[in-house]
Amino acid sequence: MTTKPQIMVVEDEPEISRFLESALEARGYNVTLADNGKIALKISAAQPPDLLILDLGLPDMDGKAVIKSLREWSRMPIIVLSARDQEDEKVAALEMGADDYLTKPFGTAELMARITVALRHASRREAPAEMTYSFGDIVVDLAKRHVALKGEEVHLTPTEYSLLAALVRKAGQVVTQAELLQEVWGRDSLDHDHYLRIYIQKLRQKLGDNPLKPRFIYTEPGIGYRLSEEEA
Ligand code: CA
């Protein structure tokens, strides 16, 4: 018998947590419910789930504080739930170490796709120090700083390479604009969003990705970018 992945849902609205519980159980996941942040931290420390779904608006503490506390000891995938008007909260949560987000209201199919992707990337992350990452026809070797497309070397400028490497290191996760700007261009460039648009476009061209319908580098409008083999 294979063990079912354990998912913890941290949500104070009973209708939403009931909906999540039945949708997840129907897909074969084991579900634990927590209706506030303190309980969530207590249970996850005692019995770490394989994935956490976290509402950002909790009655007892800020959802971001839950992420911060978990990230001190765990890399478990965290998917945050946020309201449509909480753009800044979402970005902050991703910067705290959340892997992904869903905006309420969301559908079951979207939720399941995000969970599948997050669990797959988490299991890959546990593999011993993987320095090579492949997606589609592309292979990125982080140790050698080498990128190949269909076996042919892709010539990237140092800036293009840094941007790609930043996405590769967090493959499957949303990387925020601020994270990318800081990592590639430094702290002084945090308001230079246009750099990102320009360089993402160059990367897509060189990697044979279609900007109108990307297969690898996805845009999360207003938030950042995600490198993934499958649309989440
Ligand atoms: Ca709430």
Side-chain angles (χ1 to χ4, degrees):
M1 203 179 89
T2 55
T3 41
K4 299 174 179 178
Q6 185 74 39
I7 296 184
M8 180 185 277
V9 174
V10 191
E11 167 65 81
D12 59 311
E13 287 164 65
E15 310 86 73
I16 298 181
S17 59
R18 270 200 297 272
F19 156 73
L20 287 170
E21 184 180 33
S22 62
L24 292 166
E25 283 179 349
R27 297 295 185 101
Y29 294 111
N30 274 325
V31 182
T32 316
L33 299 178
D35 61 6
N36 69 54
K38 285 199 182 73
I39 291 175
L41 288 173
K42 204 168 158 188
I43 300 176
S44 50
Q47 223 175 5
D50 296 300
L51 184 142
L52 193 94
I53 296 175
L54 174 69
D55 177 35
L56 285 178
L58 294 171
D60 63 330
M61 60 193 283
D62 190 332
K64 297 195 295 296
V66 176
I67 300 172
K68 186 162 185 273
S69 178
L70 285 172
R71 281 293 174 256
E72 286 170 12
W73 61 273
S74 170
R75 296 181 69 183
M76 70 175 72
I78 301 174
I79 299 177
V80 297
L81 306 179
S82 71
R84 196 159 291 285
D85 56 358
Q86 290 181 311
E87 285 303 280
D88 293 351
E89 288 289 290
K90 262 186 288 204
V91 172
L94 291 165
E95 282 167 357
M96 286 274 174
D99 295 80
D100 209 340
Y101 66 88
L102 281 166
T103 305
K104 293 177 183 176
F106 51 84
T108 313
E110 192 185 6
L111 171 71
M112 295 307 161
R114 300 280 165 134
I115 290 174
T116 306
V117 170
L119 287 174
R120 184 175 316 147
H121 283 286
S123 66
R124 195 181 271 186
R125 210 155 53 201
E126 277 160 21
E130 218 177 316
M131 294 301 284
T132 311
Y133 187 87
S134 43
F135 48 99
D137 298 324
I138 301 159
V139 179
V140 180
D141 187 329
L142 291 173
K144 294 183 184 152
R145 298 176 66 91
H146 186 272
V147 182
L149 172 63
K150 292 178 182 160
E152 296 283 321
E153 184 176 359
V154 180
H155 295 281
L156 298 180
T157 65
T159 303
E160 291 163 357
Y161 178 80
S162 300
L163 182 57
L164 179 61
L167 290 168
V168 165
R169 279 194 290 270
K170 295 186 83 177
Q173 294 176 253
V174 179
V175 192
T176 65
Q177 294 175 355
E179 283 177 275
L180 290 169
L181 286 166
Q182 173 154 343
E183 184 155 342
V184 179
W185 286 276
R187 210 167 248 296
D188 299 337
S189 305
L190 290 181
D191 52 351
H192 294 42
D193 300 7
H194 59 284
Y195 288 2
L196 277 176
R197 282 194 296 279
I198 294 166
Y199 278 87
I200 290 282
Q201 192 186 343
K202 287 179 189 217
L203 268 184
R204 282 178 174 147
Q205 267 167 12
K206 290 192 178 180
L207 299 176
D209 205 356
N210 179 354
L212 298 177
K213 202 174 183 321
R215 289 178 306 139
F216 307 124
I217 303 175
Y218 294 94
T219 305
E220 300 287 336
I223 307 277
Y225 297 89
R226 171 213 309 271
L227 181 73
S228 190
E229 283 163 77
E230 54 268 288
E231 193 160 11

